[in-house]
Amino acid sequence: VDHLEDLCQQERTASEEATKNLQELLSATRRLCAKYAIAWSTEEPCLNMLEGIEESLSRAQNAADEKEKERKVLQQQMTQLKEEVDFLRGAKFEADDRCQQLQVELQQAKNSVSAQALQLESQFRDSQMQHQQAVDQAKGEADACQRRAKLAEGQLQTAQATADHFSAKY
């Protein structure tokens, strides 16, 4: 677009220079004709030359006008493209910002999950240890109960023997 604008500007400048040169030539030709008393008529070759110059001047002006219209259209397209670029840059910035936010949230979630996993592992070990202690305590109590039961059984046998002995004696 910039290149086309530069070309359009160069053509407009060249056309303006050509127009200026033709106008100067026309003016100089008229002065010369007036200075040397050359009549202006349709039969004179000078007039035909002037008509050709005026036609060329008109064509050059029309070409310059067309190039100006093209330049304006290109300028409008360039403005639209710049607006679109600005919009897309803003959208990219927002998307990048959102991406960074999501990465932070993801890292926070990973950290939270890791912390919860460590906490659950700690709770599990504590629970295992408590259960093991409860099992050990229950075994100890069961062993103590078995010893008391054996002792009581021994005492029962002794008491039974004593009772049998007293019953046989009396």
Side-chain angles (χ1 to χ4, degrees):
V1 172
D2 290 337
H3 179 67
L4 290 174
E5 239 181 271
D6 291 339
L7 288 174
C8 188
Q9 181 63 33
Q10 289 172 359
E11 287 182 16
R12 187 174 58 238
T13 302
S15 175
E16 289 172 357
E17 287 178 11
T19 300
K20 182 180 174 186
N21 291 339
L22 286 174
Q23 287 174 343
E24 289 175 0
L25 181 61
L26 178 61
S27 177
T29 304
R30 285 183 182 167
R31 280 193 309 269
L32 285 174
C33 287
K35 181 177 179 180
Y36 295 105
I38 299 173
W40 290 87
S41 72
T42 56
E43 287 115 38
E44 294 295 320
C46 183
L47 182 61
N48 289 336
M49 183 178 81
L50 287 177
E51 286 176 356
I53 291 173
E54 287 176 346
E55 287 175 13
S56 295
L57 181 62
S58 177
R59 282 193 304 273
Q61 187 62 42
N62 289 339
D65 291 343
E66 285 298 316
K67 294 298 179 180
E68 181 63 21
K69 287 178 187 176
E70 288 179 30
R71 188 195 67 78
K72 286 180 180 178
V73 167
L74 290 173
Q75 183 70 32
Q76 184 180 13
Q77 289 174 350
M78 187 177 70
T79 300
Q80 290 173 346
L81 289 173
K82 283 180 181 178
E83 290 172 357
E84 187 175 348
V85 164
D86 290 342
F87 172 77
L88 292 173
R89 283 183 180 149
K92 181 189 179 295
F93 177 77
E94 289 176 10
D96 288 344
D97 188 46
R98 181 67 180 142
C99 184
Q100 287 177 348
Q101 287 175 346
L102 290 173
Q103 287 176 340
V104 168
E105 289 176 13
L106 176 64
Q107 188 60 45
Q108 288 173 343
K110 285 180 178 179
N111 292 344
S112 176
V113 166
S114 293
Q116 287 176 350
L118 290 174
Q119 183 181 8
L120 289 173
E121 286 175 8
S122 176
Q123 288 175 349
F124 178 71
R125 282 192 303 271
D126 290 347
S127 177
Q128 277 184 323
M129 189 170 55
Q130 287 173 355
H131 285 104
Q132 187 61 44
Q133 288 173 350
V135 167
D136 291 345
Q137 184 180 0
K139 281 183 180 179
E141 289 175 5
D143 289 343
C145 286
Q146 278 183 341
R147 281 191 304 271
R148 282 193 314 240
K150 284 184 181 182
L151 184 63
E153 194 177 291
Q155 288 175 349
L156 176 63
Q157 286 177 358
T158 303
Q160 184 72 36
T162 304
D164 285 344
H165 179 56
F166 279 125
S167 328
K169 234 184 182 189
Y170 303 107

